[in-house]
Amino acid sequence: MERVRTILTDTYPYPHEHSRHAIIAVAVGCLFFISSDNMHTLIEKLDNNIKWWSMYACLLGFFYFFSSPFIGKTIKPSYSNFSRWYIAWILVAAVYHLPSFLSMGVDMRMNLSLFLSIYISSILFLLFFHIVFLGLWYLGLISRVAGRRPEILTIFQNCAVISVACCVFYSHCGNRAMLGKRPFDRKASNWFSFWKERNTWLAKLLHMNELKDQVCSSWFAPVGSASDYPLLSKWVIYGELACNGSCPGSSDEISPIYSLWATFIGLYIANYVVERSTGWALTHPLPVEEYEKLKKNQMKPDFLDMVPWYSGTSADLFNTVFDLLVSVTLFVGRFDMRMMQAAMSRVHEGAHEHDLFYDHLSEKEDLWFDFMADTGDGGNSSYAVARLLAQPSLQLTRDDSVLTLPRGDLLLIGGDLAYPNPSGFTYERRFFCPFEYALQPPAWYKPNHIAVNKPELPEGIHELKEFNGPQCFLIPGNHDWFDGLNTFMRYICHKSWLGGWFMPQKKSYFALQLPKGWWVFGLDLSLHSDIDVYQFKFFSELVNNKVGENDSVIIMTHEPHWLLDWYWNGASGVNVSHLILDYLKGRCKLRIAGDLHHYMRHSCVPSEGPVHVQHLLVNGCGGAFLHPTHVFSNFSKFYGKTYECKAAYPSFDDSSRIALGNILKFRKKNWQFDFIGGIIYFILVFSTFPQCKLDHILQDDSFSGHLRSFFGTVWSAFVHVLEHSFVSLAGLLILLIAAIAFVPSKLARKKRAIIGILHVSVHLTAALILMLLLEIGLETCIRHKLLATSGYHSLYQWYQSVEIEHFPDPTGLRSRIEQWTFGLYPACIKYLMSAFDVPEVMAVTRSNICKNGIQSLSRGGAVIYYASVFLYFWVFSTPVVSLVFGSYLYICINWLHVHFDEAFSSLRIANYKSFTRFHINRNGDLEVFTLAVDKVPKEWKLDREWDVEAKQPQQSSHRRKHPSKWCASAGQQDPVNTVRIVDQFVIRQTEKTEFVTSNGSVH
């Protein structure tokens, strides 16, 4: 029984609020009723005019194209749910005016008017019921589990399902109370009659109409007369308050549409009351809070998706822009947290070196350490890298041999810890959360604890050199500086643990003395792309006083100046260059950086003269979206030396191929861009609505003539925008300025202007074409008298004409309700139907404008007209604007090698993640391995080996054999099983190094 309950139980409490099963039942009922006619009769009913069916196909194609990014998934915030309801509204409002459904016996007007009436009635009734139910709970008459309020949208959804079910029944069974014993004559052809005699099963299948008639006459037959029911029921149904029997002139039989609606409402109420008051049946017996906690701990990790960089509605992105403006205005040149750190160090005598210099690892015989950068974007990608970093060792295959690489004792993170802005939320959810899942912090550690006197060593350890667990040192990136480094200081410099990695770091920059004469300088470039004077003083004095003549230094910065300066034709990092050229004097063997979310290594080509930096390594694949490599393929010069690209991940060919996704997947990856793109297109054509003179397009005889007339009208609309419009012209000029400014400054001004003009021209042409297609569709429907036939309230007027026939009111109940509500009841129905019938409102207003001019409209009428036009034009334009913009990014990134950031942030690629593992061996050589995962898993499950492994209360997580909580749902896709080496080289430790061999080794 428990197993059955588990199967039937939904994944969330109170599954009656999920009406997808009811929706499926309604859909099956629709198919049953539609297919109930004989197949040959159904085919005979189809309209022979291909024009209307082609319009159906175009409408469905447009709406499917609009909804395709949301099919099969739920996006948070629930934009996919909004899309479904929005599309259903305006699609049905457009389709019901087309005539072809009438040939199949489906009267869309009757169904729509009945749906809206029942829908409003159901909402009012259920809202009243929920208010009463919550009142009973408040008085203590119902158990506490019933206290959770239902979602308003859930009530609307259930009411919609009930209304659709009633409409399906009425459309195919009719009002049997009115039809009485009217026979249902059906004709069958002789061919089908022959098969009826020969094959009973086939005959039953072909004559489903007989089964439908039986269903309608028995299951949905009138349920009795009014005299069979109590007084209150009679009054509710017929208004028969004063009659003991049937009132004169009223039908003695109750319409089954009322009984069907009452049945559905009763089932909803019964299910709700039983589940909420007893906790029985499909309900989880746990309170909501306990259930959510249980689900969070046992089901799967709650990782965040990749940052939607092209979202027009993301609060995080607006905060990022605001923080950036404040940082550039306030902090750059006016206030610098690095100066504050230096000042605070001088307050305490002797604390300066202790705060910035760490030598506790220098006495080890050998040392393994890791480098990564640019994490904290997508949860899946960040956790995949963190899971690899946390493993006690990784087994890899290289040239038919197996390498075992143990976990690094030291983790270096090169900036940009969380995207898009450095808030507490992004640090906790996008940065700390994946690392804590990969390697848990000590059980005694409290996340809210503030480390006042760092390093706060675990109990029993007195010096930092005694701690043998993994440690972490970090530098901030440009995104970490957007709030003036405030969040970085709180979460890095004032906390002691990043998951299971101990953080002794006190400032935003540091120097590490490693074994065998190796050093790591972690520089903080701020938003200046350079170190400040206090930082320069610290490192220059350290070089003069502590770094030996034969030592080797690794410079870690956030930005790779060598690539960015080459790309932008600029010169940055002057102080960093001064430190390397004039102080280190050839002792800088390696520069590592992030910021660019790919992996590239350049090694110096052997030549005469000193080599200031032997290897240049970029690895920003720690979890952020992918950056291209092919746009940097021509880099070759740095500090006057020639460099050769030894490794690139992904490869140049793969990088160029990935960029094609901007054409194919831009809108699917950036559905939030709809909000901006649709509004932009509508503004561009706002002044061109309506197009009244379309006879020359519709009446042309040849297809080529149609095309000439069509594009001639598009040109005329463009001229109108330039000569007469105000709103569209202003929007066009603003868009043109923005498009030119959007082109990277890497190009000359003339090229930027040409690219911007071409870009805007394509957008404007697409917007004008869509505008004209919408106007031609409206004009076609108006000419065939499918629209603009009877004013704004045509649907309500038609409903009134058939209401008396199908739903008689002999006692005048409706008129009394109208009096009691002061006319609100019919007005609500009337204006609801008018608001639903958007095409009719749009067509009627358009006809009035074409006849009397735009000045004939009141301000409110103009607002209603343009709002109704926008509802449809927005749907048609959003896929097109995304396609045009995505194509622009593809052309720019592959042909012009610009927009490398914009063209790949749009794709939000979580794959191609990597980190670099270093080993200082006993000979003093530095072995470098770059490990990568081509494909990041999207689904995770609880790692059974982690779950069953014995855990001691005081045991550190880094001592466990299986330290990570989650593994990939598909074992063959787990990063531990798919990780591979994409680059490997060795930097020799020699007395003096001036030349570099072609394979990257130093002699």
Side-chain angles (χ1 to χ4, degrees):
M1 186 63 185
E2 184 65 25
R3 176 61 177 166
V4 173
R5 177 173 176 168
T6 303
I7 295 174
L8 295 177
T9 300
D10 199 89
T11 58
Y12 196 84
Y14 319 124
H16 76 277
E17 296 179 357
H18 297 270
S19 53
R20 58 177 178 271
H21 301 299
I23 294 175
I24 294 174
V26 170
V28 172
C30 292
L31 293 175
F32 166 73
F33 282 120
I34 292 176
S35 61
S36 59
D37 288 328
N38 292 333
M39 199 60 64
H40 68 287
T41 306
L42 185 63
I43 295 174
E44 290 176 357
K45 285 184 175 182
L46 295 179
D47 195 351
N48 293 325
N49 192 342
I50 195 65
K51 174 173 56 179
W52 302 117
W53 290 110
S54 63
M55 291 189 70
Y56 279 121
C58 290
L59 281 173
L60 292 175
F62 264 116
F63 286 103
Y64 174 80
F65 195 23
F66 177 84
S67 302
S68 58
F70 324 118
I71 295 176
K73 63 181 179 180
T74 300
I75 303 174
K76 295 180 180 180
S78 56
Y79 184 79
S80 57
N81 293 327
F82 164 76
S83 173
R84 294 187 190 105
W85 287 106
Y86 178 74
I87 289 300
W89 168 32
I90 59 177
L91 176 60
V92 174
V95 165
Y96 102 91
H97 283 285
L98 301 182
S100 298
F101 269 111
L102 293 175
S103 64
M104 300 173 62
V106 179
D107 193 335
M108 292 292 292
R109 292 181 300 177
M110 185 66 226
N111 281 289
L112 284 177
S113 56
L114 185 63
F115 168 83
L116 294 173
S117 301
I118 297 177
Y119 184 61
I120 293 299
S121 303
S122 302
I123 290 176
L124 295 176
F125 191 90
L126 291 185
L127 286 178
F128 176 76
F129 159 73
H130 283 293
I131 292 174
V132 173
F133 191 82
L134 290 176
L136 295 176
W137 169 81
Y138 182 77
L139 295 175
L141 301 179
I142 302 175
S143 64
R144 64 183 178 87
V145 79
R148 181 173 176 267
R149 294 182 179 87
E151 296 289 341
I152 296 297
L153 292 179
T154 303
I155 297 176
F156 289 169
Q157 179 175 328
N158 288 325
C159 292
V161 172
I162 292 174
S163 304
V164 170
C166 293
C167 291
V168 170
F169 154 71
Y170 193 87
S171 176
H172 294 277
C173 290
N175 191 341
R176 292 303 172 99
M178 304 302 300
L179 295 176
K181 302 297 183 180
R182 186 182 300 175
F184 289 82
D185 297 330
R186 302 280 180 177
K187 295 182 180 180
S189 65
N190 294 331
W191 187 84
F192 285 97
S193 299
F194 170 76
W195 276 101
K196 181 178 180 180
E197 297 174 0
R198 296 293 302 273
N199 194 321
T200 305
W201 290 102
L202 181 60
K204 289 182 178 180
L205 179 63
L206 295 175
H207 291 272
M208 293 179 64
N209 63 292
E210 297 178 1
L211 177 60
K212 185 191 79 171
D213 290 342
Q214 293 178 4
V215 171
C216 291
S217 60
S218 58
W219 292 1
F220 299 121
V223 294
S225 63
S227 59
D228 297 333
Y229 292 89
L231 179 64
L232 182 61
S233 298
K234 289 194 298 179
W235 176 77
V236 170
I237 297 175
Y238 281 122
E240 299 174 356
L241 188 59
C243 305
N244 294 325
S246 297
C247 290
S250 66
S251 173
D252 189 53
E253 290 184 321
I254 300 175
S255 173
I257 194 69
Y258 292 123
S259 61
L260 185 64
W261 175 78
T263 301
F264 287 138
I265 291 292
L267 288 174
Y268 174 91
I269 293 175
N271 185 49
Y272 189 94
V273 171
V274 170
E275 290 181 353
R276 288 300 183 97
S277 59
T278 64
W280 185 69
L282 301 181
T283 311
H284 293 275
L286 295 176
V288 176
E289 293 78 10
E290 295 182 18
Y291 173 77
E292 292 289 352
K293 183 178 180 180
L294 181 65
K295 182 178 73 171
K296 181 178 180 180
N297 291 336
Q298 293 187 359
M299 303 302 292
K300 59 181 180 180
D302 51 345
F303 291 146
L304 298 179
D305 293 332
M306 304 288 286
V307 174
W309 295 101
Y310 284 84
S311 172
T313 58
S314 174
D316 282 341
L317 294 182
F318 282 112
N319 291 336
T320 301
V321 174
F322 176 78
D323 288 342
L324 179 59
L325 293 176
V326 171
S327 297
V328 172
T329 303
L330 181 61
F331 296 107
V332 175
R334 292 172 175 82
F335 176 80
D336 195 329
M337 179 62 74
R338 297 174 300 181
M339 298 181 184
M340 180 65 71
Q341 295 177 76
M344 292 300 295
S345 296
R346 288 197 299 270
V347 170
H348 305 283
E349 295 183 3
H352 183 256
E353 183 175 294
H354 178 71
D355 288 348
L356 300 172
F357 172 62
Y358 301 87
D359 61 353
H360 58 285
L361 300 172
S362 61
E363 299 178 0
K364 290 181 174 291
E365 291 296 325
D366 66 338
L367 179 70
W368 289 87
F369 63 100
D370 299 323
F371 170 76
M372 66 171 297
D374 300 274
T375 184
D377 188 352
N380 293 324
S381 54
S382 298
Y383 176 73
V385 177
R387 175 171 167 79
L388 292 174
L389 293 170
Q391 299 306 303
S393 64
L394 294 174
Q395 304 287 334
L396 302 112
T397 302
R398 180 76 170 181
D399 298 332
D400 298 329
S401 62
V402 178
L403 295 177
T404 300
L405 306 182
R407 177 175 53 216
D409 297 319
L410 172 66
L411 173 61
L412 303 174
I413 300 182
D416 280 354
L417 308 183
Y419 292 87
N421 61 330
S423 65
F425 174 82
T426 55
Y427 263 57
E428 291 174 2
R429 293 294 306 278
R430 295 188 179 274
F431 179 50
F432 276 83
C433 177
F435 278 85
E436 289 173 353
Y437 280 143
L439 193 66
Q440 284 74 42
W444 45 264
Y445 176 68
K446 296 181 180 180
N448 295 327
H449 174 70
I450 298 176
V452 179
N453 297 313
K454 294 183 72 173
E456 294 185 337
L457 298 169
E459 185 177 353
I461 298 177
H462 305 287
E463 293 183 0
L464 187 56
K465 63 175 60 179
E466 298 177 6
F467 180 76
N468 59 0
Q471 304 172 37
C472 181
F473 285 81
L474 312 89
I475 59 173
N478 57 304
H479 282 267
D480 303 306
W481 265 97
F482 285 172
D483 68 342
L485 211 65
N486 177 59
T487 306
F488 181 90
M489 297 298 293
R490 287 193 295 119
Y491 280 86
I492 304 302
C493 299
H494 297 158
K495 289 185 179 293
S496 295
W497 294 92
L498 171 62
W501 286 270
F502 182 63
M503 295 191 299
Q505 178 178 346
K506 300 180 181 180
K507 307 297 180 183
S508 63
Y509 54 95
F510 55 85
L512 293 172
Q513 184 177 6
L514 304 182
K516 310 298 182 181
W518 283 92
W519 295 75
V520 172
F521 289 178
L523 311 183
D524 179 5
L525 302 181
S526 181
L527 296 175
H528 302 271
S529 298
D530 203 356
I531 59 176
D532 62 312
V533 62
Y534 299 102
Q535 200 173 169
F536 179 84
K537 180 182 179 182
F538 165 73
F539 285 109
S540 60
E541 290 178 352
L542 189 67
V543 171
N544 292 332
N545 299 330
K546 291 186 177 295
V547 178
E549 289 294 330
N550 298 321
D551 287 355
S552 300
V553 177
I554 301 172
I555 297 290
M556 180 174 71
T557 58
H558 171 62
E559 293 181 346
H561 292 147
W562 54 96
L563 289 181
L564 295 179
D565 288 347
W566 167 84
Y567 180 85
W568 295 108
N569 299 318
S572 60
V574 176
N575 292 339
V576 177
S577 299
H578 182 33
L579 178 68
I580 294 174
L581 299 178
D582 299 329
Y583 283 84
L584 290 176
K585 298 179 180 180
R587 285 175 285 182
C588 180
K589 302 292 182 66
L590 175 66
R591 285 197 63 177
I592 56 177
D595 192 51
L596 297 178
H597 310 158
H598 59 227
Y599 175 78
M600 292 188 75
R601 173 173 69 92
H602 292 83
S603 297
C604 188
V605 176
S607 63
E608 295 182 358
V611 177
H612 298 287
V613 182
Q614 296 175 11
H615 300 277
L616 305 171
L617 187 149
V618 181
N619 192 348
C621 302
F625 65 88
L626 183 68
H627 269 145
T629 56
H630 66 280
V631 298
F632 301 98
S633 59
N634 294 327
F635 166 79
S636 61
K637 294 288 186 180
F638 187 60
Y639 289 157
K641 293 295 180 180
T642 301
Y643 286 80
E644 181 182 358
C645 182
K646 294 295 185 179
Y649 180 76
S651 66
F652 297 150
D653 292 337
D654 289 342
S655 176
S656 179
R657 175 183 52 81
I658 291 170
L660 184 63
N662 276 292
I663 298 178
L664 305 176
K665 301 178 181 179
F666 180 87
R667 183 164 179 267
K668 185 176 182 180
K669 295 286 187 178
N670 304 278
W671 51 267
Q672 302 95 327
F673 190 69
D674 287 355
F675 181 78
I676 298 176
I679 293 178
I680 291 175
Y681 267 36
F682 183 69
I683 292 175
L684 290 178
V685 298
F686 178 85
S687 301
T688 62
F689 285 106
Q691 294 289 314
C692 298
K693 299 178 181 179
L694 300 176
D695 294 344
H696 59 292
I697 299 178
L698 300 175
Q699 296 178 359
D700 218 308
D701 295 332
S702 62
F703 179 74
S704 59
H706 283 300
L707 287 180
R708 283 194 302 269
S709 300
F710 182 87
F711 286 104
T713 307
V714 171
W715 175 256
S716 299
F718 171 68
V719 173
H720 175 79
V721 170
L722 296 180
E723 294 181 349
H724 303 289
S725 69
F726 294 99
V727 176
S728 295
L729 182 60
L732 178 62
L733 293 176
I734 294 174
L735 181 62
L736 182 60
I737 295 172
I740 295 176
F742 183 65
V743 181
S745 58
K746 172 184 175 68
L747 300 178
R749 291 183 180 179
K750 184 180 294 185
K751 290 184 177 180
R752 295 175 62 192
I754 294 174
I755 293 173
I757 291 173
L758 291 176
H759 186 196
V760 173
S761 298
V762 177
H763 280 300
L764 180 60
T765 302
L768 292 173
I769 291 175
L770 291 174
M771 175 275 301
L772 194 54
L773 287 175
L774 180 59
E775 288 290 286
I776 289 176
L778 279 173
E779 181 69 18
T780 302
C781 291
I782 292 174
R783 293 193 175 202
H784 289 81
K785 300 189 182 302
L786 299 175
L787 290 172
T789 56
S790 55
Y792 292 107
H793 304 291
S794 59
L795 184 60
Y796 180 71
Q797 293 171 2
W798 184 90
Y799 175 67
Q800 281 186 313
S801 66
V802 299
E803 184 181 35
I804 299 176
E805 177 184 354
H806 291 271
F807 305 102
D809 183 23
T811 59
L813 177 61
R814 281 190 291 269
S815 61
R816 288 201 295 271
I817 294 178
E818 181 178 354
Q819 293 177 357
W820 296 339
T821 60
F822 301 100
L824 188 61
Y825 165 73
C828 288
I829 299 296
K830 177 180 179 180
Y831 286 101
L832 176 65
M833 291 183 178
S834 179
F836 183 87
D837 196 4
V838 178
E840 185 71 16
V841 174
M842 184 165 45
V844 171
T845 310
R846 180 181 182 274
S847 298
N848 292 337
I849 295 174
C850 292
K851 184 182 298 183
N852 304 317
I854 189 68
Q855 65 276 3
S856 62
L857 284 184
S858 64
R859 181 172 299 179
V863 170
I864 292 175
Y865 170 68
Y866 285 110
S868 60
V869 171
F870 175 76
L871 290 173
Y872 282 94
F873 186 80
W874 187 69
V875 174
F876 297 154
S877 63
T878 48
V880 178
V881 65
S882 296
L883 179 63
V884 172
F885 189 73
S887 301
Y888 163 79
L889 291 178
Y890 170 74
I891 293 172
C892 288
I893 189 64
N894 271 8
W895 295 3
L896 304 176
H897 285 186
V898 295
H899 286 309
F900 75 88
D901 199 23
E902 296 83 357
F904 270 64
S905 64
S906 62
L907 298 176
R908 302 165 65 192
I909 297 174
N911 298 323
Y912 299 99
K913 294 294 161 277
S914 69
F915 68 96
T916 301
R917 179 156 289 178
F918 300 90
H919 179 215
I920 302 175
N921 59 28
R922 295 178 182 272
N923 298 326
D925 298 334
L926 182 66
E927 301 174 345
V928 185
F929 307 87
T930 296
L931 313 179
V933 175
D934 295 335
K935 189 173 183 179
V936 171
K938 297 181 180 179
E939 297 292 334
W940 305 89
K941 65 179 181 180
L942 187 68
D943 191 342
R944 180 172 177 80
E945 293 179 335
W946 175 89
D947 193 30
V948 300
E949 183 179 2
K951 304 176 181 66
Q952 300 299 327
Q954 299 301 322
Q955 182 186 17
S956 300
S957 57
H958 69 271
R959 298 186 181 277
R960 299 172 188 164
K961 185 178 180 180
H962 304 282
S964 300
K965 183 175 183 179
W966 310 106
C967 63
S969 297
Q972 66 275 15
Q973 297 179 1
D974 194 271
V976 176
N977 300 324
T978 60
V979 63
R980 63 187 182 93
I981 298 177
V982 295
D983 188 25
Q984 178 181 353
F985 65 103
V986 178
I987 304 178
R988 305 294 181 187
Q989 176 68 287
T990 58
E991 292 184 0
K992 190 170 182 63
T993 304
E994 291 187 359
F995 302 98
V996 184
T997 63
S998 59
N999 63 359
S1001 300
V1002 181
H1003 296 280

